[in-house]
Amino acid sequence: MTLLGRFEEVLYKSKGKPFVFDHEDMRTLHFDGRFIQSAMSISAPDQLMLSYTRAMMAFLLFHPQPRHVVMIGLGGGSLAKYCYRKLPTTRITVLELESDVIALREKFAIPDDDERFQVIHADAADYLTAMEERADVILHDGYAADGLAPSLSTEDFYQLCHAALDRDGVLVSNLWGDAADLVPMMKRLYAVFDWRLWWCSASGSFNRIVFSVKSLDDAMFRSVLAKRATQHDLRHKLAFCDLVDRLQTACGKSRSDFELIAGADMLGAFMQADYSGIEEE
């Protein structure tokens, strides 16, 4: 049977539920037949296979030693596993709305819950509203089959994230789509976090990663950014130095200039994207 034939068979048997597909050393998570939601090397399950997950880890440039990371969306658990293994003093809370996704955690070698790692079946807005302890980092990757859940990209939801962050906290958003999709979300983030936005396109993909920082001395940040990237690349080898070179910011820009840059940058990302890669969401 051909690769496409095997995939279509697994898709048919899934009966509309999230499913896993294996090909050679690659295991992928799908919500339907269109996109790869998560990817894992079967022989190296903690490796970050998709470029957008590696880019999201650049929160370490903004908050090098987080005590508590909250993740919105479990997927195949790539970021959850990586943070659990590589940040041994960090507590990780993962929020996932779909029980069918949580049911696949063993397929993706997601660790069992323990004193510093927990997967919670919950609506993210409800959980953040009731959360008593602030988070240092929120990783926002709450996708359904049709894209980012609309309720998770409203200004009200971004306000919830802002309130749930500690004083120096950072919200990291994985955005996907064309400029017509992304610019409105960027405007809503700007409305909540003001100029404290930094973003870049993940290498070889249409994913835009936005770092929205609650409170930051920009002059200090820029003076240490390259140094932090070099230090973390020695440990994590996630090409942070390359990411820093591509990082855009709203700092020092008027709102109108910010909106122009936010849209134009996406056009450049589309032109430079590597079409030979797998499509990420």
Side-chain angles (χ1 to χ4, degrees):
M1 184 181 294
T2 66
L3 177 62
L4 178 59
R6 285 202 302 112
F7 181 82
E8 289 178 340
E9 181 180 40
V10 175
L11 172 62
Y12 175 77
K13 290 180 178 179
S14 72
K15 299 185 183 301
K17 291 186 176 183
F19 65 94
V20 173
F21 184 73
D22 290 349
H23 176 59
E24 297 179 347
D25 189 49
M26 183 75 75
R27 175 167 294 169
T28 50
L29 172 68
H30 304 260
F31 293 161
D32 57 20
R34 293 175 294 171
F35 303 113
I36 289 174
Q37 298 293 334
S38 189
M40 181 186 80
S41 165
I42 296 172
S43 62
D46 294 339
Q47 183 178 347
L48 295 176
M49 300 297 293
L50 300 183
S51 63
Y52 88 85
T53 60
R54 298 192 292 272
M56 289 184 78
M57 283 301 303
F59 71 77
L60 290 168
L61 303 181
F62 298 85
H63 206 305
Q65 295 180 315
R67 294 165 298 174
H68 185 203
V69 173
V70 173
M71 302 184 181
I72 300 172
L74 174 64
S78 299
L79 285 165
K81 289 183 294 184
Y82 189 88
C83 289
Y84 183 71
R85 307 295 186 199
K86 301 295 185 179
L87 305 177
T89 63
T90 300
R91 187 161 65 87
I92 298 132
T93 303
V94 187
L95 310 177
E96 174 55 55
L97 183 62
E98 298 297 333
S99 59
D100 289 331
V101 172
I102 297 175
L104 297 174
R105 66 186 291 174
E106 290 187 6
K107 295 283 188 181
F108 287 93
I110 296 171
D112 294 334
D113 289 1
D114 61 23
E115 66 278 0
R116 68 179 192 87
F117 183 86
Q118 191 173 18
V119 177
I120 300 174
H121 182 207
D123 176 86
D126 291 342
Y127 187 89
L128 293 177
T129 300
M131 191 171 74
E132 295 182 0
E133 181 186 355
R134 303 299 88 183
D136 297 304
V137 177
I138 297 176
L139 298 180
H140 185 357
D141 192 22
Y143 278 78
D146 293 324
L148 184 64
S151 63
L152 300 184
S153 62
T154 65
E155 187 172 328
D156 285 345
F157 184 76
Y158 292 142
Q159 287 283 8
L160 275 179
C161 292
H162 186 278
L165 287 168
D166 205 1
R167 183 174 61 87
D168 298 321
V170 55
L171 168 66
V172 186
S173 305
N174 173 32
L175 306 182
W176 189 90
D178 59 22
D181 298 316
L182 298 186
V183 173
M185 287 187 280
M186 296 281 288
K187 289 181 180 179
R188 292 193 284 272
L189 284 166
Y190 187 99
V192 175
F193 289 88
D194 200 13
W195 54 265
R196 297 178 181 87
L197 301 185
W198 284 261
W199 68 91
C200 68
S201 296
S203 178
S205 82
F206 294 153
N207 299 70
R208 174 181 288 178
I209 309 304
V210 184
F211 304 90
S212 306
V213 186
K214 190 167 184 177
S215 176
L216 189 67
D217 180 341
D218 182 61
M220 179 281 297
F221 172 71
R222 288 193 175 279
S223 70
V224 301
L225 179 59
K227 181 178 179 180
R228 286 181 179 176
T230 299
Q231 291 171 340
H232 282 296
D233 271 349
L234 290 173
R235 178 182 178 188
H236 296 280
K237 304 186 188 308
L238 296 177
F240 287 159
C241 289
D242 174 68
L243 181 144
V244 166
D245 290 339
R246 295 183 285 108
L247 206 58
Q248 302 255 7
T249 183
C251 177
K253 311 288 193 308
S254 67
R255 180 153 188 163
S256 59
D257 286 344
F258 155 72
E259 292 174 5
L260 286 173
I261 295 169
D265 179 58
M266 198 61 217
L267 177 61
F270 268 57
M271 294 174 67
Q272 297 172 15
D274 179 3
Y275 289 91
S276 65
I278 53 180
E279 192 162 9
E280 304 170 9
E281 187 178 83

